[in-house]
Amino acid sequence: MKKNEQKGHNQESRKLYFPVVEGVLKALKEIFNENKKADKVISGVLKSNPKWGAKDRAFIAENTYEIVRNWRLIKYCAGLGDLKVNEERHFLDILAAWFVLRNEDISNLHFAKNTDVNGIWNRYEDAQKDRKLKYSFTNWMDEKLSKETRINWDEEVEAMHVQADVYLRVNTLRISADELIDLLKKQGVYTKKVPGVPSALVLEKRHNVFSLEEFKKGLFEVQDAGSQMIVDFLEVSPGQRVVDACAGAGGKALQIASYMQNKGKVIAMDIEEYKLVELKKRAKRNGADTIETRLIDAKVIKRLHDSADRLLLDVPCSGLGVLKRNPDAKWKLQPEFIEEIKVVQQEILQNYSKMLKPGGQMVYATCSVLSEENEDQVQKFISNNPDFEFVREQRLTPAVEGFDGFYMALIKRK
């Protein structure tokens, strides 16, 4: 971003009016003061005022996400340094600095009347010399990731700093990729296939795909291409018994069911019942009849011992591979959480792996780029469990593949 150069997709500056800017202000307060997730906050804010048109809604969503993504840089440019922002005046200073950096017309904004435009740009130029400021990362996160030998952090930090593409997963239980491409084109939504990921399409231009009839009919789901590759790695076949042991809302369980052509059984498990309730709704929409949901407890795990042909362990993790999709995690994640979640990951590997049949295969997966959550965990498990053998692994990173950052390891029970 340079002086007199627009950041983002808007090429022409427009006069800003406070009622719309207030939507961004409201969202930022909830994200940072109330510690709410950005995607849920933005959805709630947009629903709060039905009078906003499509352009206003897009403005609020885009600017909120980009301010969160660039939070440390904008604070610095606004002259707030590392001050903890919680007062409205601070938020307004950040908004003024951000709109200056975007070369927006702020003459209508009462709170921006005395904005030091030159000071903002001088601090911006100064920030370009410091990677942590330029790309808005915390000190501890930058230090930790720069020591990670399996990635090039200078390349990854830049790749993680841009808005994530929108990927769709074609529900092959209902439609083929070519048919879906043609159907969406008639709606003015242009997509193209993703090389190497047979079930994935990528949007050529952002669009609210959740409002489309094709989505409501279950013809596709929104799912990152890298996430879809994890199910490819599992090598499922029709007729198998597959356990997705950390299913969440079930994106991968739905993909597994489609790959199995609704033949066999997919057991989707989670510790949160509300996620499984949501999965049941999605499964009905997708026509995925083979999915059975189970709430995790010790008895359920024991009853499933030695029963699965395939087992997916998409374990809880730091999320350090998906920061461009979840930029607020940069400010909410704490280093001690990584130490805590590593214990959980190893416990899941040790306990849940017992559900796999002899001769069966499982995938251990994370959305992290840290070796300590990935390769190190797999090596520890294999060394402690001689009846399992490592087959292969794969890393995906934003800088190399362009998808979210994922790790996956294929492990076989002897």
Side-chain angles (χ1 to χ4, degrees), residues 22-265:
E22 194 173 27
V24 181
L25 176 63
K26 181 177 180 351
L28 292 175
K29 285 180 181 177
E30 291 186 28
I31 292 167
F32 287 101
N33 283 354
E34 300 176 34
N35 203 33
K36 294 180 180 178
K37 289 190 174 181
D39 57 341
K40 301 281 192 268
V41 167
I42 292 169
S43 176
V45 168
L46 294 181
K47 288 176 183 175
S48 70
N49 189 339
K51 294 181 180 179
W52 282 326
K55 286 185 178 179
D56 291 335
R57 298 164 72 81
F59 175 90
I60 291 167
E62 178 193 337
N63 281 278
T64 301
Y65 270 122
E66 289 304 308
I67 290 171
V68 172
R69 192 185 314 282
N70 291 279
W71 186 246
R72 188 173 184 182
L73 171 66
I74 304 167
K75 277 176 64 182
Y76 181 80
C77 292
L80 298 174
D82 289 325
L83 179 74
K84 181 172 174 56
V85 172
N86 48 29
E87 296 179 16
E88 178 149 332
R89 179 68 251 173
H90 298 149
F91 283 105
L92 293 174
D93 287 344
I94 282 170
L95 283 171
W98 172 245
F99 292 133
V100 166
L101 294 174
R102 283 183 63 106
N103 290 298
E104 299 281 12
D105 185 346
I106 59 175
S107 59
N108 280 345
L109 300 180
H110 64 276
F111 63 84
K113 297 292 185 188
N114 299 315
T115 298
D116 180 7
V117 173
N118 288 331
I120 289 169
W121 280 111
N122 289 338
R123 284 187 286 271
Y124 172 81
E125 295 297 336
D126 186 51
Q128 303 311 296
K129 304 165 191 171
D130 185 330
R131 182 176 61 196
K132 300 183 292 295
L133 287 175
K134 180 179 180 180
Y135 295 112
S136 279
F137 273 83
T138 59
N139 292 350
W140 76 264
M141 203 176 283
D142 180 75
E143 182 181 358
K144 191 174 193 69
L145 289 166
S146 64
K147 292 177 180 176
E148 181 57 56
T149 58
R150 288 183 170 94
I151 62 172
N152 183 328
W153 180 233
D154 284 327
E155 293 178 359
E156 295 298 339
V157 70
E158 186 173 356
M160 286 183 181
H161 192 64
V162 299
Q163 188 179 48
D165 287 327
V166 178
Y167 292 92
L168 311 182
R169 180 185 61 77
V170 181
N171 179 15
T172 52
L173 291 174
R174 295 205 185 276
I175 197 169
S176 71
D178 289 327
E179 288 170 330
L180 183 59
I181 289 171
D182 289 340
L183 265 182
L184 293 177
K185 190 184 295 183
K186 291 174 183 175
Q187 304 284 350
V189 180
Y190 295 91
T191 60
K192 56 185 178 183
K193 293 181 180 179
V194 180
V197 193
S199 55
L201 302 178
V202 60
L203 263 62
E204 295 185 11
K205 186 179 178 182
R206 300 187 80 82
H207 189 95
N208 178 19
V209 294
F210 297 109
S211 65
L212 297 173
E213 280 302 311
E214 288 78 8
F215 173 75
K216 295 172 184 176
K217 291 177 181 176
L219 304 187
F220 68 85
E221 293 285 333
V222 176
Q223 185 180 349
D224 184 76
S227 172
Q228 295 181 45
M229 290 178 71
I230 292 172
V231 174
D232 294 339
F233 211 69
L234 189 59
E235 300 178 341
V236 299
S237 300
Q240 289 181 329
R241 185 179 177 87
V242 181
V243 175
D244 180 359
C246 309
K252 295 182 184 69
L254 294 170
Q255 185 182 354
I256 290 167
S258 69
Y259 279 19
M260 292 169 62
Q261 301 165 27
N262 261 346
K263 297 172 184 175
K265 175 74 73 177

